[in-house]
């Protein structure tokens, strides 16, 4: 199986992890390129491979932004020697990965500061940023939605429970039933767009319910996820119902957009940011 397949099939999930793995794959692909005669030919192969990786999850600006930065930097090189350019590819790849890790560390720090002591938290799907914040913040209880159809909420529940935190997995449809017990909602993001924050389908419902019940919604996301607008990935209907009758149409959008009206703050590497102050 290729990295493309692993990303497409959700063996690797979550925006930050997808971006990191794709960068590693691009670097490794570049280091195995032989029989090219010049820099342009090398970069054009890299671009084709990067486009394929990006197409595995079209709603992932962090993946797109990081790969684009690497390619842009490669294009600026004065080197003509392919071995030298391969070394530069390695350096640019390393620098993007460090940026992702560094941002995540800062987001965890700011995230902890946003969570009052002894809180009950609700989260949706599985976000590496959110899971890190929650485990460090040590809340008294966490509700995790199961997150149909791929059940990433089980990953969240398993990870958080393994740290000794009281964890309860709930049906996505139960959010409205437990929201009054919750102090704070915290979700991750795949994209920060002009229209709102794009995250796993169901995020908009969770945020709207929280807003109606006067519970603050925080989004933990690196600014590497900023993009003007993005197409929402449509996934295979089999994920929802494998042998559905042919006449039944199935809708399987992977993500939805949470309007900024429903978000209190975005936890970025620069601190707790009012969505109005995000620069596009
Ligand atoms: C995962 C998802 C996560 C964000 C957060 O969706 O919606 O909330 O990707 O990412 P999927 P991060 O499981 O379809 O990839 O891990 O960077 O916080």
């Amino acid at each position: 199986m290729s990295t493309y397949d692993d990303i497409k099939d959700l063996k690797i999930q979550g925006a930050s992890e997808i971006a990191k793995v794709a960068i590693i794959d691009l670097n490794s692909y570049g280091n195995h390129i032989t029989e090219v005669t010049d820099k342009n030919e090398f970069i054009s192969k890299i671009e084709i491979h990067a486009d394929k990786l990006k197409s595995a999850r079209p709603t992932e600006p962090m993946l797109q932004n990081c790969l684009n930065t690497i390619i842009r930097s490669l294009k600026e090189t004065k080197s003509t020697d392919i071995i030298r350019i391969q070394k530069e590819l390695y350096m640019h790849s390393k620098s993007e990965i460090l940026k992702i890790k560094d941002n995540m560390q800062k987001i965890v720090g700011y995230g902890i500061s946003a969570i009052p002591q002894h809180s009950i938290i609700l989260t949706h799907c599985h976000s590496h940023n959110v899971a890190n914040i929650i485990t460090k913040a040590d809340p008294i209880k966490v509700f995790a939605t199961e997150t149909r159809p791929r059940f990433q909420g089980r990953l969240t529940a398993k990870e958080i429970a393994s740290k000794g935190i009281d964890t309860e997995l709930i049906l996505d449809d139960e959010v409205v039933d437990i929201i009054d017990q919750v102090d704070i909602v915290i979700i991750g993001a795949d994209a920060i767009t002009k229209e709102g924050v794009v995250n796993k389908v169901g995020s908009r419902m969770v945020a709207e319910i929280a807003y109606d019940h006067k519970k603050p919604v925080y989004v933990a996301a690196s600014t590497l996820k900023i993009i003007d607008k993005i197409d929402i990935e449509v996934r295979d209907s089999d994920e929802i119902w494998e042998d559905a009758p042919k006449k039944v149409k199935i809708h399987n959008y992977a993500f939805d957009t949470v309007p900024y009206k429903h978000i209190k703050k975005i936890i970025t590497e620069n601190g707790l940011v009012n969505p109005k102050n995000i620069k596009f």
Side-chain angles (χ1 to χ4, degrees), residues 69-102:
T69 303
I70 294 171
I71 291 168
R72 226 179 9 254
S73 310
L74 273 187
K75 283 184 175 168
E76 280 164 10
T77 183
K78 301 259 181 301
S79 313
T80 49
D81 173 55
I82 298 301
I83 301 212
R84 179 71 223 149
I85 298 173
Q86 283 172 325
K87 281 192 183 137
E88 288 183 27
L89 170 63
Y90 170 76
M91 293 312 292
H92 297 312
S93 303
K94 193 172 161 192
S95 142
E96 288 308 293
I97 287 180
L98 288 178
K99 224 187 288 170
I100 294 173
K101 288 186 176 166
D102 189 47

Side-chain angles (χ1 to χ4, degrees), residues 10 13-16 18 57 60 125-130 152 188-190 199-200 225 255:
L10 297 193
Q13 66 75 231
S16 312
I18 291 169
R57 299 298 306 270
E60 296 297 351
C125 196
H126 178 266
S127 148
H128 296 83
N129 282 295
V130 174
Q152 291 95 327
D190 291 272
N199 193 48
K200 178 56 53 190
K225 295 177 180 177
F255 302 100

Side-chain angles (χ1 to χ4, degrees), residues 13-16 59-62 104 107 115 121-134 143 145 147 152 156 160 184-193 196-204 206-207 217-223 225 254-260 262-263 265-268:
Q13 66 75 231
S16 312
T59 318
E60 296 297 351
M62 189 184 230
M104 195 179 276
I107 288 168
I115 298 178
I121 301 177
L122 166 67
T123 189
H124 180 60
C125 196
H126 178 266
S127 148
H128 296 83
N129 282 295
V130 174
N132 287 343
I133 292 170
I134 290 178
F143 287 104
T145 56
T147 319
Q152 291 95 327
T156 304
I160 290 169
I184 171 170
V185 175
I186 171 162
I187 56 174
D190 291 272
I192 300 171
T193 73
V197 159
V198 177
N199 193 48
K200 178 56 53 190
V201 70
S203 298
R204 180 171 180 171
V206 172
V217 176
Y218 285 81
V219 174
S222 160
T223 60
K225 295 177 180 177
F255 302 100
D256 61 19
T257 306
V258 182
Y260 288 122
H262 297 135
I263 297 169
K265 287 278 162 62
I266 303 183
I267 309 164
T268 75

Side-chain angles (χ1 to χ4, degrees), residues 142-188:
V142 174
F143 287 104
T145 56
E146 62 174 356
T147 319
R148 273 191 60 79
R150 297 294 296 254
F151 304 108
Q152 291 95 327
R154 292 179 186 170
L155 275 180
T156 304
K158 198 169 150 192
E159 188 173 338
I160 290 169
S162 76
K163 307 286 179 200
I165 298 168
D166 181 9
T167 306
E168 192 167 336
L169 190 75
I170 58 163
L171 302 176
D172 300 339
D173 322 285
E174 282 176 322
V175 169
V176 74
D177 302 314
I178 57 90
I179 195 72
D180 288 329
Q181 297 175 51
V182 166
D183 298 304
I184 171 170
V185 175
I186 171 162
I187 56 174

Side-chain angles (χ1 to χ4, degrees), residues 235-238 240-242 244-245 248-252:
R235 294 187 64 86
D236 205 318
S237 59
D238 284 6
I240 294 187
W241 191 357
E242 228 176 291
V248 176
K249 292 182 196 143
I250 293 179
H251 220 216
N252 189 13

